[in-house]
Amino acid sequence: MSTSEAPVRTRIAPSPTGDPHVGTAYAALFNLAFARKNGGEFILRIEDTDRTRYVEGSEQQVFDTLHWLGFSWDQGPDVGGPAEPYRQSERLPVYREVAERLLADGHAYQCWCSSERLTQMRTRQQQLKIPTGYDRMCYGKTREERAELPGFTDVPVIRMLVPTDAKISFTDLIRGKITPPEPDDQVILKADGFPTYHLAVVVDDNAMGVTHVIRGEEWISSTAKHILLYGWLGWTAPTYAHMPLLRNADRSKISKRKNPAARLKWFQEEGYLPEALVNFLALMGYSMPDGQEIFTFDEMVASFDFARVNPVGPVFDIDKLNWLNGHYLRTLDDEAFLRAAEPFLPEGLTAQDVRSLVVPLRERTKKLAEIPEQLDWLAAATVTVQPADLAKHGLPAADARAILEAFAKNLEQLDPFGKEQITATLDRVVAEAGTNRRRSFMTARLALVGKPVSPPLDDTMVALGAERTAARLREAAAAIEG
């Protein structure tokens, strides 16, 4: 059955080599959207053949972070499926069998070159300014013949034998016709018996019935190798779509080494909502027909068309993500916002304990990790009024001292110390003093929290309590110079 006749089946195949990369979520989003648009299936496969980079627990992080985003898959290591197993380390006999078949058919050969010899070869090629690639020293030789030559290692790898005229072209759903560089004799089975990516991806995509390979543009240069392998094995190659890479502001590829936002867990740690991140990642490569910027995954699926994917690598704009996340936070009701905020509150506080302080933060919070800074005044032993803030937002020094003393004297007499009583008292004191209400309240806010932004003043005072409120007002009054 050709891929055009088969039910659409897409996949992602992350490697468990540490914190999942945001690119994994980006690729998963587009693979899942295309599969759902076409009533097909989405597969999760774990590519764990690079044992030197394997990190314990990373696989579970992949499952957890993708589930956090709301993504689900129809086949995978954790859910099973008709093409089990879905971990490459559990499929080694399959790769060995296919590699041996390619050897027998004359499409591959054994190579006994040591790593030292290969390094010297590449260095020499670079010095001569010629394309780097294996020089076929081992091709056509028996083990005994090769052992007589320098740079021999006892356990061979298996390399594909690429024809000298291997000019491969394919039609990409995003980029049209592509003719990638001619491949060299790529290793397909390593000395440890593990396959390289190139053999494993072809074998597994075929075994799992993958019809469309949607992956990053960095794999374009490898596609010729994969198409050759498909042809030699008599299998139908999938249809390819190479997504633009996510890029830093300097246009470099986003990486965990250079950018903390490359770590998928970072978005959870910073307090981004999954809906906002999905929307943002979609915008990085996709445009809706009506140009809207805020949309759900289901809306993306309904309109999905590869013609709407921009092949130019998008810049990972955190400011845009913050704007989107702020929008999604504001759509939460009080209880949902409190639940989302709970893990980010200062130690010892629960959302319900400071409900009246937390809920108002929803209107000015871009990410939940900002909440501790907005509430740090609550646990602080003391705060400092910055003269520049007082001059910009508050009353002149003499008036500021007077209003703070008046506030403290009147507020400490309140019983109960409730919001209605506080507001009435503040308004009365301001009226008696004849000062500007907004600047008077801002002066009090600066005295209580040390900055011009806080929850409503009455909520702030209730949270601090009568004694701490009066003490901070008086401390600030005494500290104001002028």
Side-chain angles (χ1 to χ4, degrees):
M1 181 183 292
S2 69
T3 56
S4 61
E5 298 170 342
V8 166
R9 194 171 287 126
T10 65
R11 54 78 174 164
I12 59 163
S15 299
T17 55
D19 289 350
H21 194 282
V22 68
T24 297
Y26 178 62
L29 169 62
F30 283 85
N31 276 277
L32 182 59
F34 182 70
R36 297 293 179 254
K37 171 69 173 181
N38 290 278
E41 291 188 316
F42 174 55
I43 300 169
L44 173 62
R45 185 172 71 229
I46 296 295
E47 295 193 344
D48 59 348
T49 57
D50 189 345
R51 305 310 290 180
T52 61
R53 298 177 62 219
Y54 176 80
V55 175
E56 189 72 33
S58 180
E59 179 181 306
Q60 188 60 48
Q61 282 191 330
V62 170
F63 300 156
D64 292 345
T65 49
L66 292 180
H67 281 313
W68 171 70
L69 288 170
F71 297 164
S72 61
W73 38 96
D74 305 291
Q75 302 178 38
D78 55 335
V79 298
E84 292 182 311
Y86 292 93
R87 294 182 186 89
Q88 289 186 335
S89 60
E90 299 172 5
R91 300 173 59 82
L92 300 187
V94 179
Y95 308 128
R96 168 65 69 176
E97 180 183 349
V98 173
E100 295 287 352
R101 174 180 163 187
L102 292 168
L103 274 174
D105 291 344
H107 295 302
Y109 60 96
Q110 291 181 313
C111 173
W112 293 270
C113 287
S114 66
S115 58
E116 293 79 11
R117 194 258 154 184
L118 294 174
T119 298
Q120 293 170 359
M121 176 198 72
R122 283 190 292 269
T123 300
R124 180 63 174 163
Q125 290 170 339
Q126 291 168 351
Q127 290 172 342
L128 295 174
K129 294 183 170 45
I130 61 176
T132 57
Y134 184 60
D135 58 6
R136 294 188 172 176
M137 174 182 274
C138 295
Y139 176 58
K141 293 182 177 65
T142 64
R143 181 185 183 283
E144 291 73 20
E145 290 171 337
R146 178 62 184 86
E148 295 177 359
L149 300 174
F152 175 83
T153 187
D154 194 53
V155 181
V157 301
I158 296 178
R159 292 182 180 274
M160 57 191 297
L161 178 60
V162 176
T164 55
D165 58 347
K167 295 188 183 299
I168 305 295
S169 295
F170 66 96
T171 300
D172 189 278
L173 290 177
I174 297 172
R175 301 163 191 276
K177 184 177 179 180
I178 296 177
T179 303
E182 293 184 25
D184 69 339
D185 290 1
Q186 175 71 48
V187 173
I188 54 174
L189 197 71
K190 295 178 284 187
D192 61 4
F194 280 77
T196 61
Y197 170 81
H198 306 286
L199 178 64
V201 73
V202 168
V203 171
D204 290 346
D205 282 350
N206 179 74
M208 297 173 189
V210 172
T211 59
H212 294 75
V213 171
I214 306 168
R215 59 188 180 187
E217 64 183 289
E218 73 268 35
W219 294 110
I220 289 176
S221 61
S222 298
T223 305
K225 303 169 189 176
H226 304 164
I227 291 174
L228 279 173
L229 289 169
Y230 275 107
W232 293 340
L233 294 165
W235 300 337
T236 301
T239 301
Y240 291 95
H242 287 91
M243 295 291 300
L245 293 179
L246 300 175
R247 298 191 179 276
N248 296 308
D250 63 0
R251 309 301 300 180
S252 62
K253 177 182 175 181
I254 190 169
S255 67
K256 288 186 282 187
R257 183 171 55 85
K258 292 183 177 181
N259 190 336
R263 292 176 49 245
L264 195 48
K265 286 284 291 181
W266 180 82
F267 298 95
Q268 290 179 292
E269 295 163 358
E270 291 295 304
Y272 292 100
L273 297 182
E275 306 84 29
L277 182 55
V278 168
N279 192 160
F280 175 72
L281 291 175
L283 280 175
M284 290 292 93
Y286 192 74
S287 61
M288 294 290 281
D290 59 2
Q292 71 187 89
E293 293 192 302
I294 296 173
F295 52 88
T296 66
F297 173 73
D298 288 342
E299 289 173 322
M300 177 186 179
V301 169
S303 74
F304 194 85
D305 186 338
F306 276 112
R308 306 203 65 81
V309 176
N310 187 343
V312 178
V315 172
F316 206 83
D317 185 353
I318 291 295
D319 289 339
K320 186 61 166 286
L321 174 58
N322 288 340
W323 172 77
L324 276 170
N325 201 59
H327 164 81
Y328 280 95
L329 286 173
R330 290 189 295 275
T331 66
L332 299 178
D333 62 29
D334 290 357
E335 296 306 319
F337 183 74
L338 289 169
R339 286 194 299 272
E342 182 95 50
F344 296 88
L345 294 178
E347 187 175 356
L349 296 179
T350 69
Q352 293 300 334
D353 289 340
V354 288
R355 179 189 184 95
S356 62
L357 298 181
V358 174
V359 170
L361 297 180
R362 175 179 51 201
E363 298 304 313
R364 55 176 173 269
T365 298
K366 295 179 181 177
K367 57 180 181 177
L368 295 168
E370 295 173 346
I371 287 179
E373 183 180 353
Q374 297 184 72
L375 295 179
D376 57 0
W377 53 269
L378 190 56
T382 186
V383 296
T384 302
V385 179
Q386 299 298 327
D389 286 337
L390 185 64
K392 182 177 181 180
H393 303 287
L395 294 169
D399 292 339
R401 287 195 299 271
I403 201 71
L404 292 176
E405 289 285 0
F407 281 159
K409 178 180 178 181
N410 285 270
L411 288 169
E412 64 186 357
Q413 298 174 15
L414 292 180
D415 185 18
F417 193 69
K419 291 177 61 173
E420 291 183 8
Q421 294 84 354
I422 290 171
T423 300
T425 299
L426 295 177
D427 283 338
R428 177 174 56 79
V429 170
V430 168
E432 292 173 354
T435 54
N436 178 276
R437 184 179 188 274
R438 182 183 66 80
R439 285 188 171 270
S440 296
F441 279 29
M442 182 57 74
T443 300
R445 176 172 285 108
L446 290 168
L448 296 174
V449 305
K451 48 195 168 189
V453 177
S454 78
L457 194 55
D458 52 1
D459 288 322
T460 299
M461 291 180 172
V462 168
L464 285 169
E467 184 177 341
R468 293 177 73 195
T469 295
R472 288 196 183 185
L473 292 171
R474 287 197 170 100
E475 288 171 3
I480 294 174
E481 299 178 357

PDB file of all heavy atoms in Angstrom, residues 8-22:
ATOM      1  N   VAL A   8      -3.300   8.161   7.464  1.00  0.00           N
ATOM      2  CA  VAL A   8      -2.207   9.030   7.901  1.00  0.00           C
ATOM      3  C   VAL A   8      -1.693   8.573   9.259  1.00  0.00           C
ATOM      4  O   VAL A   8      -2.461   8.324  10.183  1.00  0.00           O
ATOM      5  CB  VAL A   8      -2.681  10.499   7.968  1.00  0.00           C
ATOM      6  CG1 VAL A   8      -1.678  11.353   8.731  1.00  0.00           C
ATOM      7  CG2 VAL A   8      -2.884  11.047   6.561  1.00  0.00           C
ATOM      8  N   ARG A   9      -0.382   8.452   9.345  1.00  0.00           N
ATOM      9  CA  ARG A   9       0.251   8.063  10.603  1.00  0.00           C
ATOM     10  C   ARG A   9       1.537   8.864  10.743  1.00  0.00           C
ATOM     11  O   ARG A   9       2.418   8.795   9.885  1.00  0.00           O
ATOM     12  CB  ARG A   9       0.524   6.558  10.627  1.00  0.00           C
ATOM     13  CG  ARG A   9       0.867   6.021  12.005  1.00  0.00           C
ATOM     14  CD  ARG A   9       0.902   4.499  12.011  1.00  0.00           C
ATOM     15  NE  ARG A   9      -0.445   3.934  11.941  1.00  0.00           N
ATOM     16  CZ  ARG A   9      -0.844   3.048  11.032  1.00  0.00           C
ATOM     17  NH1 ARG A   9      -0.009   2.643  10.103  1.00  0.00           N
ATOM     18  NH2 ARG A   9      -2.067   2.581  11.066  1.00  0.00           N
ATOM     19  N   THR A  10       1.635   9.655  11.808  1.00  0.00           N
ATOM     20  CA  THR A  10       2.817  10.472  12.063  1.00  0.00           C
ATOM     21  C   THR A  10       3.472  10.016  13.356  1.00  0.00           C
ATOM     22  O   THR A  10       2.910   9.216  14.107  1.00  0.00           O
ATOM     23  CB  THR A  10       2.462  11.965  12.164  1.00  0.00           C
ATOM     24  OG1 THR A  10       1.632  12.176  13.312  1.00  0.00           O
ATOM     25  CG2 THR A  10       1.732  12.447  10.916  1.00  0.00           C
ATOM     26  N   ARG A  11       4.643  10.552  13.648  1.00  0.00           N
ATOM     27  CA  ARG A  11       5.338  10.160  14.881  1.00  0.00           C
ATOM     28  C   ARG A  11       6.302  11.246  15.319  1.00  0.00           C
ATOM     29  O   ARG A  11       6.718  12.100  14.531  1.00  0.00           O
ATOM     30  CB  ARG A  11       6.097   8.849  14.670  1.00  0.00           C
ATOM     31  CG  ARG A  11       7.072   8.822  13.477  1.00  0.00           C
ATOM     32  CD  ARG A  11       8.362   9.517  13.704  1.00  0.00           C
ATOM     33  NE  ARG A  11       9.328   9.366  12.623  1.00  0.00           N
ATOM     34  CZ  ARG A  11      10.386  10.130  12.469  1.00  0.00           C
ATOM     35  NH1 ARG A  11      10.619  11.127  13.287  1.00  0.00           N
ATOM     36  NH2 ARG A  11      11.233   9.930  11.465  1.00  0.00           N
ATOM     37  N   ILE A  12       6.655  11.206  16.587  1.00  0.00           N
ATOM     38  CA  ILE A  12       7.847  11.883  17.061  1.00  0.00           C
ATOM     39  C   ILE A  12       8.706  10.830  17.740  1.00  0.00           C
ATOM     40  O   ILE A  12       8.200   9.817  18.221  1.00  0.00           O
ATOM     41  CB  ILE A  12       7.561  13.050  18.024  1.00  0.00           C
ATOM     42  CG1 ILE A  12       6.804  12.567  19.259  1.00  0.00           C
ATOM     43  CG2 ILE A  12       6.867  14.188  17.324  1.00  0.00           C
ATOM     44  CD1 ILE A  12       6.855  13.543  20.401  1.00  0.00           C
ATOM     45  N   ALA A  13      10.003  11.075  17.763  1.00  0.00           N
ATOM     46  CA  ALA A  13      10.920  10.064  18.302  1.00  0.00           C
ATOM     47  C   ALA A  13      12.019  10.751  19.099  1.00  0.00           C
ATOM     48  O   ALA A  13      13.167  10.821  18.668  1.00  0.00           O
ATOM     49  CB  ALA A  13      11.497   9.234  17.160  1.00  0.00           C
ATOM     50  N   PRO A  14      11.698  11.276  20.286  1.00  0.00           N
ATOM     51  CA  PRO A  14      12.708  11.969  21.093  1.00  0.00           C
ATOM     52  C   PRO A  14      13.717  11.002  21.692  1.00  0.00           C
ATOM     53  O   PRO A  14      13.448   9.812  21.864  1.00  0.00           O
ATOM     54  CB  PRO A  14      11.883  12.645  22.181  1.00  0.00           C
ATOM     55  CG  PRO A  14      10.663  11.787  22.311  1.00  0.00           C
ATOM     56  CD  PRO A  14      10.386  11.292  20.922  1.00  0.00           C
ATOM     57  N   SER A  15      14.883  11.531  22.019  1.00  0.00           N
ATOM     58  CA  SER A  15      15.933  10.764  22.678  1.00  0.00           C
ATOM     59  C   SER A  15      15.945  11.102  24.163  1.00  0.00           C
ATOM     60  O   SER A  15      15.897  12.278  24.526  1.00  0.00           O
ATOM     61  CB  SER A  15      17.300  11.083  22.062  1.00  0.00           C
ATOM     62  OG  SER A  15      17.318  10.747  20.688  1.00  0.00           O
ATOM     63  N   PRO A  16      16.040  10.110  25.039  1.00  0.00           N
ATOM     64  CA  PRO A  16      16.038  10.358  26.484  1.00  0.00           C
ATOM     65  C   PRO A  16      17.424  10.753  26.977  1.00  0.00           C
ATOM     66  O   PRO A  16      18.106   9.997  27.671  1.00  0.00           O
ATOM     67  CB  PRO A  16      15.585   9.016  27.058  1.00  0.00           C
ATOM     68  CG  PRO A  16      16.089   8.007  26.075  1.00  0.00           C
ATOM     69  CD  PRO A  16      16.022   8.667  24.726  1.00  0.00           C
ATOM     70  N   THR A  17      17.844  11.952  26.610  1.00  0.00           N
ATOM     71  CA  THR A  17      19.213  12.391  26.902  1.00  0.00           C
ATOM     72  C   THR A  17      19.250  13.590  27.845  1.00  0.00           C
ATOM     73  O   THR A  17      20.184  14.382  27.817  1.00  0.00           O
ATOM     74  CB  THR A  17      19.942  12.743  25.595  1.00  0.00           C
ATOM     75  OG1 THR A  17      19.174  13.719  24.873  1.00  0.00           O
ATOM     76  CG2 THR A  17      20.128  11.515  24.718  1.00  0.00           C
ATOM     77  N   GLY A  18      18.221  13.740  28.675  1.00  0.00           N
ATOM     78  CA  GLY A  18      18.166  14.870  29.599  1.00  0.00           C
ATOM     79  C   GLY A  18      16.808  15.521  29.548  1.00  0.00           C
ATOM     80  O   GLY A  18      15.835  14.939  29.045  1.00  0.00           O
ATOM     81  N   ASP A  19      16.716  16.740  30.074  1.00  0.00           N
ATOM     82  CA  ASP A  19      15.448  17.461  30.037  1.00  0.00           C
ATOM     83  C   ASP A  19      14.932  17.531  28.603  1.00  0.00           C
ATOM     84  O   ASP A  19      15.682  17.893  27.688  1.00  0.00           O
ATOM     85  CB  ASP A  19      15.633  18.886  30.555  1.00  0.00           C
ATOM     86  CG  ASP A  19      15.868  18.934  32.051  1.00  0.00           C
ATOM     87  OD1 ASP A  19      15.710  17.892  32.700  1.00  0.00           O
ATOM     88  OD2 ASP A  19      16.222  20.011  32.567  1.00  0.00           O
ATOM     89  N   PRO A  20      13.674  17.216  28.379  1.00  0.00           N
ATOM     90  CA  PRO A  20      13.134  17.290  27.013  1.00  0.00           C
ATOM     91  C   PRO A  20      13.309  18.687  26.422  1.00  0.00           C
ATOM     92  O   PRO A  20      13.153  19.698  27.121  1.00  0.00           O
ATOM     93  CB  PRO A  20      11.652  16.949  27.209  1.00  0.00           C
ATOM     94  CG  PRO A  20      11.625  16.124  28.458  1.00  0.00           C
ATOM     95  CD  PRO A  20      12.692  16.694  29.339  1.00  0.00           C
ATOM     96  N   HIS A  21      13.626  18.733  25.147  1.00  0.00           N
ATOM     97  CA  HIS A  21      13.848  19.993  24.432  1.00  0.00           C
ATOM     98  C   HIS A  21      12.505  20.555  23.986  1.00  0.00           C
ATOM     99  O   HIS A  21      11.585  19.811  23.643  1.00  0.00           O
ATOM    100  CB  HIS A  21      14.750  19.727  23.220  1.00  0.00           C
ATOM    101  CG  HIS A  21      15.321  20.954  22.587  1.00  0.00           C
ATOM    102  ND1 HIS A  21      14.580  21.767  21.742  1.00  0.00           N
ATOM    103  CD2 HIS A  21      16.549  21.519  22.659  1.00  0.00           C
ATOM    104  CE1 HIS A  21      15.335  22.767  21.325  1.00  0.00           C
ATOM    105  NE2 HIS A  21      16.533  22.645  21.865  1.00  0.00           N
ATOM    106  N   VAL A  22      12.387  21.874  23.971  1.00  0.00           N
ATOM    107  CA  VAL A  22      11.149  22.495  23.518  1.00  0.00           C
ATOM    108  C   VAL A  22      10.849  22.115  22.070  1.00  0.00           C
ATOM    109  O   VAL A  22       9.688  22.080  21.646  1.00  0.00           O
ATOM    110  CB  VAL A  22      11.209  24.029  23.687  1.00  0.00           C
ATOM    111  CG1 VAL A  22      12.237  24.657  22.738  1.00  0.00           C
ATOM    112  CG2 VAL A  22       9.839  24.657  23.474  1.00  0.00           C
TER     113      VAL A  22
END
